Each structure stands twice: as structure tokens, then as C-alpha cells.
Amino acid sequence: MLTFLRILFVIPLGLIAAIIAAIVVYLGSFGFFETDSWVGPGGDITAIIEPVIVVVAGITRFAVLPFLVGIVIAEIFALRSVILWSLFGGAIGLGIFLSANSTEFAVLPPLAAGLVAGFAYWVVAGHGSGTIVRAAPERAVSGPPAPPTSPEPE
């Protein structure tokens, strides 16, 4: 039952937390939260929504599949290190930087967003990696208890 709940709730919540953390760090690195972009031209709400949608589309397009591969590997090998998850997220951010064909694309925002996203995933779900695989063999190995034996007569 716990395995089912982990697959159904904890891992997706960790992935959502990683995406939200990456969005906040990425937009924050460009000063999105400190400028007048909240008001927009004439108080238009699309000035706020459009950059967020573009960043969400970019993150889900380039980062979710490699992150899911990392989740599967971490679950199989029970990798729980915060450093591992942060470096894994940073590697994905660096991969996004390297996949961009523009020289105007800065390396620090996607790298920082990946590091923070990896940490956010670890906080929500990564510290329990491997509980799915670890729980299955314990149930398979343990059988019914052995019947008690009586001492032999002397």
C-alpha cells in the first residue's frame, strides 16, 4: 500500500515541486519579481502569465524526461543523497544550456534552476528513494514462520 501511495502521490508531488522551484529560480534570475513586469502595459495580466507559460513549456519539454529517467535510476539503486539530486538537476540545467543554439543564452539561470529543482525534489520525494524496490524483496523473502521445534529427549 505504501508503495502505491509513493508512486501515485509522493513522486509526482516531488516532480511538481522541482518544476515550480525551477520556474521561480529561472524567472527570478532575470529580475522578473523585482521589476514593473507585474503591472504590464495598461495593467495587462498577460505580462505575468506569458513568461511563466514559456518557462513551464521549456522546462517540461527539455527536462522532465531526463528527470524521470533519474527518478527511475534512483528508485532502483536507492540513491538518496541530496548532493546527487542537486548535481543531477544541475546537469539537466547544463544540458538545457548546451542544447540552446543561441550565444545569448546565459549558463547560470538554467544551471541554478536545475540545482534548486534537484534539491526541491529531494526534499519532497528523493530522500525516500528506493523504498519501492527495497520493500518488494523483503515481502518475497519472508515466508510463513517456521514451526517451533521441541527439544529432543535425552
Side-chain angles (χ1 to χ4, degrees):
M1 182 67 180
L2 291 176
T3 302
F4 177 72
L5 291 176
R6 176 161 175 78
I7 292 171
L8 193 61
F9 293 113
V10 177
I11 291 174
L13 285 176
L15 190 59
I16 291 169
I19 291 171
I20 290 172
I23 291 168
V24 168
V25 170
Y26 192 78
L27 290 176
S29 68
F30 291 111
F32 179 73
F33 301 111
E34 298 173 356
T35 63
D36 294 332
S37 63
W38 286 96
V39 180
D44 192 10
I45 192 71
T46 59
I48 301 168
I49 302 296
E50 285 178 14
V52 173
I53 290 174
V54 168
V55 172
V56 168
I59 288 173
T60 55
R61 182 176 165 197
F62 293 112
V64 170
L65 187 60
F67 209 79
L68 287 174
V69 170
I71 290 171
V72 169
I73 291 170
E75 289 292 334
I76 290 172
F77 295 109
L79 304 173
R80 295 188 186 106
S81 172
V82 65
I83 295 171
L84 172 88
W85 277 109
S86 295
L87 290 178
F88 183 67
I92 291 174
L94 188 62
I96 290 174
F97 165 73
L98 294 175
S99 68
N101 293 329
S102 173
T103 58
E104 301 169 3
F105 196 61
V107 68
L108 192 57
L111 183 63
L115 288 169
V116 172
F119 178 75
Y121 180 82
W122 176 81
V123 167
V124 175
H127 63 272
S129 294
T131 56
I132 295 172
V133 177
R134 195 178 55 230
E138 289 174 3
R139 278 184 260 137
V141 171
S142 65
T149 57
S150 62
E152 297 201 15
E154 294 179 10

